[in-house]
Structures are given as structure tokens and as C-alpha cells.
Amino acid sequence: MNTELLSVKNRAETNSKTGWTFYQKLALRSVFVFTLIAVVPASGEYLQKLFSLPWLRLRYVDVDVISNYYPWFVDDKGLGVDYAGLAVAAGISVLAGWVWSLLDKKERNYDNLYYWTQVIIRYKVAGVMFYFAFVKVFPVQMPFPSLSQINTLVGDYTPGRLFWITTGASPFYEVFSGLAELLGTVLLLFRRTVTIGALILLAVMVPVVALNIGYDAGIQVKAILILLLVIILLAENAKNLWSFFILQRNTKLEVRSAPLLREKWQRNARIILKVFFILFFLGFRGYSVGVSFFSGKSYKLPEGVSLPEWRGLYHVSTFKLNNTTLPYSPLDTIRWQNVIFERWNTISIKDGRPVQMSVDNSVRKTEVHANGGRHYYEYSADTLQHRLILHDRKDTARKLLLTYRISTDSTIILEGTNENSDAVYAELKKIDRIYPLTEKKGNFVYTPY
């Protein structure tokens, strides 16, 4: 034990004697300022959300609010392309670092500043990446495509939504990528494995950034920010990594020693904070996401009570508007073409009306995010009075009031008023289809309607 303590002390003394050049200090100061911009909450809206959390009964979505703070240039409007804001933040950081370097020309040792900057980055990245890892390990971030999404034309999706749906269609790939993210993130929590963890996350984040930019997926700058922070963690060993991977020479990774904490309370506080972080962001979050997933819940999808026996795709064989029968036509802008009942309380209707794209990818909005082609309604059912109330999921003020009955041939008949108070009548005939997307093998026969 004494030998180990002496070794740590010697390494700390060796590090403290290491000289810092002007440009090294300039780089460190600039990175430190950029880290503060990226990590320190400067948003009143975020702080309001933070203080309004149910702290005595937290859920994993509440933990996400805590860890997923981002600076102003990472917009939350679903666009994710504030590259100018990112450039401004980088410019401010370099300018602040330069002014700092001009004003403070004393010979100082910056080992401690470097160490704590790395600590801040490590735990910021870990807090964020534990979220992305667990919602992939338990695949709820990109859930399997719903019936409505399966029956939506490819051309009615934005590129980003198409990518999310195709990824969700392969739970194995989603789980695999989540495990890679989880491994890299866990390794960030320990000094001796930071570089290995950062290398794994680098291999994960480079394609994530490329996919977000290429598919215009809406979190481009957010992904770039995490990638930049991961690269910063690799900076100290950049030469050693180049020597090993490119020059194929034997090398040794640098492991910077932690500052000596002379007070007992400081050492205890360090252990307590680290254990709390691991239990909260790794243990509690992982457990909560897993329980939610295995209970059939997903923060991405609605949870309302449905009519499970009605789930499926229905062809609208007869449709009347104000007692006038409208013949089927794919070009008709009024007539319903088909209707889908999901396993949750959603009804989606395909007709010829234009669909306003929604870029709000908030909780339980994945159905209507960045796709067109169908109109989505939340419904509540009164099974005693045989009534349905449908509220537009994009505009809840728009609603349909319908009654329903089932004929002898199992046709569902809906009758009532639509959003414009017009009288509507629709006969729905269920279509039994086998979807190749949901089957691993076999012969498939398309059932037209």
C-alpha cells in the first residue's frame, strides 16, 4: 500500500513539473471555456424543467431531462442544423482563451485544470450517452414500425424519419449499437480506461454524425457536439495512438494522475459522488428503461386504452359525405381510402387531403413526426354507448364524433360528424395481410384492396 501511494505521489510530482507551452495553454483554456458553454446550464427553460421534476418519484424520462442539457446552438425545434451557432461558440472559446493567455502570462502549472476539464467532459458525455445506450439496448428510441407507418408510402417520409423507421425495423442492430455505446460509456468512468472508451465512442459517433447529416435527421449539431467532446478526451494520447495504429510501434497510453486530495472529506466526497452517478445514471436509468420496455411501454408511443380486437388495416368500401356516396378514387381529396386501428388508442386515416408535416419529436409524438400521407387521431371509446371521440394528434381542437356498430359480416360501420361538422358514413372491411417486414422468411402474397 505504501509503495502504491508513493508511486501515485511520484507521478503527480512528475506531472506537476511538466512544462506548458503558450499554445498548449491557449488550447487548454479555449477547450475549458468551450466545455463550460456546453455543460453549464444557461437556459431558464431548462432550469424551470429541472426544478419542476417530481424528485420523489422520478422516472427515466425525468433522468433524461437532468442529463440532456444542451447549449443554445443545439436547437430543440427538430432541425438540428445550427452550424453557425456551433461556429460562434467555438469562436468565443478561442477568443476567450486567447484573451486569458494575454492577461495571464505567469508560469503556472495547468495539470489540475486539464484534469478537471477532462472530468467534466467525461461525465457530461457519460450522462448523455447512457441515455442513448439504454434506449437502444432496450429498443424504444426507434420502436418497430407501427401498422400506420408500414402502410405509408416511402415518399411520404422525410429522409430522417425513413432512417429511424428502417433502424427500428431491425431491433438486433439497434440493440447491438446500444451495447457498443454502453461499453464505451462505462469505460469513460475510470481514468485508466478513458482512452479505450473514447475510441469506442469515436467509432460509434462518426457514423452517427454522418447519418444525421446525410439523412437530415434533426440532431446533427447535437451529435457533432458529443463527437467533439469525445475527440477532446483523446487529445492527450493522440501521438501515442498515431504511433500504435499508423506507425505500428509499441507504445504506452498516458494515464494522468488525479490531483492529490489531502483532506479526508474530499476523498470521501469524490467516492460518494462517483458512486451516486453510477447508481443514478447507470443503475436506475438502465433498470427503469428495462422495466418500461418489458412491460410493453415506450415513451415514444401513446399509452392510451384501445380496442385491441379492432387492431388492423381496413379498406373503406363505402363512404358518404352529407349523405352523398363518394366512389373510391386515389385522387379524391375528401374520401377516406383506408383506416388503421393501432394496438394503442390511435386511428389513422388515409385520404387525399394534404398533411402538414410536424417536426415536433417530443414524447409520444413519434407517430406524427416528419411523415405525411395519413391523418392521426387519438380516440376514446364508450363501449356501452358505442361512441368514438377522435382528436387530431397534431391539433387536438379538431375532432370527430362517431358512433359505431358491427354488421353481420364483421364490417365496422362508423357514422357521425367530422372536423368540419359534415355528416360522414364509412363502412370498414378488415384486410388480412402478411407483411414481409414482420416476417423473417416465407412466401408472401400481397393482398390488394
Side-chain angles (χ1 to χ4, degrees):
M1 178 62 70
N2 292 336
T3 303
E4 182 180 352
L5 290 175
L6 181 61
S7 175
V8 171
K9 183 176 180 181
N10 289 339
R11 288 201 305 273
E13 291 176 350
T14 301
N15 285 342
S16 67
K17 296 176 183 178
T18 302
W20 286 79
T21 67
F22 173 82
Y23 290 105
Q24 287 176 330
K25 289 187 283 187
L26 171 62
L28 174 59
R29 289 161 173 165
S30 300
V31 166
F32 178 71
V33 173
F34 184 78
T35 301
L36 294 182
I37 293 174
V39 173
V40 177
S43 166
E45 182 180 356
Y46 170 79
L47 293 175
Q48 184 178 3
K49 289 181 180 179
L50 196 64
F51 290 122
S52 63
L53 290 176
W55 287 96
L56 297 180
R57 46 184 178 83
L58 285 176
R59 303 162 299 165
Y60 73 91
V61 290
D62 299 322
V63 182
D64 303 337
V65 173
I66 298 172
S67 63
N68 280 347
Y69 166 76
Y70 295 98
W72 83 89
F73 55 84
V74 179
D75 68 279
D76 59 355
K77 304 302 181 184
L79 302 177
V81 291
D82 191 6
Y83 300 117
L86 176 60
V88 169
I92 291 173
S93 303
V94 173
L95 180 61
W98 187 270
V99 172
W100 185 354
S101 299
L102 292 179
L103 296 178
D104 185 2
K105 296 183 179 180
K106 295 182 180 180
E107 289 295 329
R108 301 179 188 275
N109 184 280
Y110 282 87
D111 289 344
N112 285 350
L113 179 63
Y114 178 83
Y115 174 83
W116 289 115
T117 301
Q118 275 211 327
V119 168
I120 294 171
I121 293 175
R122 284 165 53 197
Y123 283 89
K124 169 61 180 178
V125 173
V128 172
M129 292 306 297
F130 274 137
Y131 161 74
F132 286 112
F134 279 123
V135 294
K136 290 187 182 73
V137 171
F138 305 103
V140 295
Q141 181 186 11
M142 292 168 275
F144 196 88
S146 66
L147 274 177
S148 297
Q149 291 170 334
I150 292 174
N151 285 281
T152 298
L153 296 175
V154 171
D156 286 327
Y157 292 115
T158 64
R161 173 49 52 186
L162 183 61
F163 168 71
W164 277 58
I165 289 175
T166 53
T167 302
S170 176
F172 173 81
Y173 172 76
E174 190 172 354
V175 172
F176 176 81
S177 60
L179 289 173
E181 292 177 6
L182 183 60
L183 174 61
T185 306
V186 169
L187 293 177
L188 288 188
L189 300 179
F190 307 96
R191 283 185 300 109
R192 294 184 180 278
T193 56
V194 167
T195 300
I196 302 301
L199 280 174
I200 294 174
L201 291 181
L202 179 69
V204 169
M205 291 306 301
V206 168
V208 167
V209 169
L211 287 169
N212 273 277
I213 294 175
Y215 280 91
D216 192 21
I219 57 170
Q220 293 90 308
V221 175
K222 183 185 295 186
I224 291 173
L225 174 62
I226 299 301
L227 177 60
L228 289 175
L229 295 177
V230 169
I231 291 174
I232 291 172
L233 293 177
L234 291 170
E236 183 177 28
N237 277 295
K239 289 184 179 179
N240 295 328
L241 293 172
W242 176 271
S243 177
F244 180 77
F245 286 109
I246 306 302
L247 303 181
Q248 298 184 357
R249 297 174 181 171
N250 292 331
T251 188
K252 183 178 180 181
L253 295 177
E254 298 290 337
V255 179
R256 186 170 292 269
S257 301
L260 293 176
L261 302 178
R262 303 184 184 279
E263 301 294 334
K264 183 177 180 180
W265 70 266
Q266 293 175 328
R267 296 191 293 271
N268 290 339
R270 172 184 172 275
I271 295 173
I272 291 172
L273 288 173
K274 185 165 187 172
V275 170
F276 173 79
F277 184 93
I278 293 174
L279 291 177
F280 190 66
F281 290 101
L282 176 61
F284 174 72
R285 176 181 272 165
Y287 172 79
S288 300
V289 178
V291 168
S292 179
F293 173 74
F294 287 112
S295 63
K297 298 179 181 179
S298 168
Y299 73 101
K300 287 285 187 178
L301 299 172
E303 292 184 332
V305 178
S306 65
L307 299 169
E309 67 276 11
W310 286 17
R311 181 176 184 262
L313 169 65
Y314 293 82
H315 170 54
V316 180
S317 58
T318 302
F319 183 82
K320 297 179 183 179
L321 183 70
N322 293 325
N323 296 319
T324 300
T325 301
L326 302 180
Y328 174 81
S329 170
L331 303 179
D332 194 309
T333 59
I334 299 175
R335 189 191 193 279
W336 297 1
Q337 298 175 21
N338 61 67
V339 174
I340 290 175
F341 285 82
E342 298 285 0
R343 62 179 174 85
W344 48 87
N345 64 327
T346 288
I347 294 175
S348 70
I349 299 174
K350 168 67 175 175
D351 57 25
R353 291 178 298 154
V355 177
Q356 181 66 40
M357 283 284 185
S358 171
V359 295
D360 179 14
N361 193 23
S362 56
V363 173
R364 312 206 186 286
K365 291 294 184 69
T366 192
E367 287 183 308
V368 297
H369 174 250
N371 58 265
R374 307 190 69 86
H375 297 271
Y376 289 81
Y377 298 89
E378 173 188 357
Y379 74 86
S380 57
D382 182 342
T383 55
L384 295 178
Q385 300 295 325
H386 289 196
R387 292 176 181 173
L388 295 175
I389 301 177
L390 280 61
H391 288 274
D392 192 308
R393 285 208 179 272
K394 294 179 184 177
D395 182 2
T396 55
R398 297 171 60 85
K399 65 180 180 179
L400 286 74
L401 302 176
L402 305 171
T403 60
Y404 67 86
R405 67 180 188 273
I406 301 177
S407 66
T408 55
D409 62 349
S410 299
T411 298
I412 299 175
I413 299 174
L414 301 179
E415 198 168 2
T417 57
N418 65 9
E419 303 99 318
N420 302 317
S421 299
D422 295 318
V424 294
Y425 173 92
E427 295 182 3
L428 313 182
K429 294 185 179 295
K430 192 170 185 179
I431 302 170
D432 293 321
R433 282 195 54 187
I434 296 177
Y435 296 95
L437 189 64
T438 63
E439 302 290 333
K440 294 184 178 180
K441 60 183 178 179
N443 298 318
F444 304 103
V445 179
Y446 175 75
T447 306
Y449 48 86

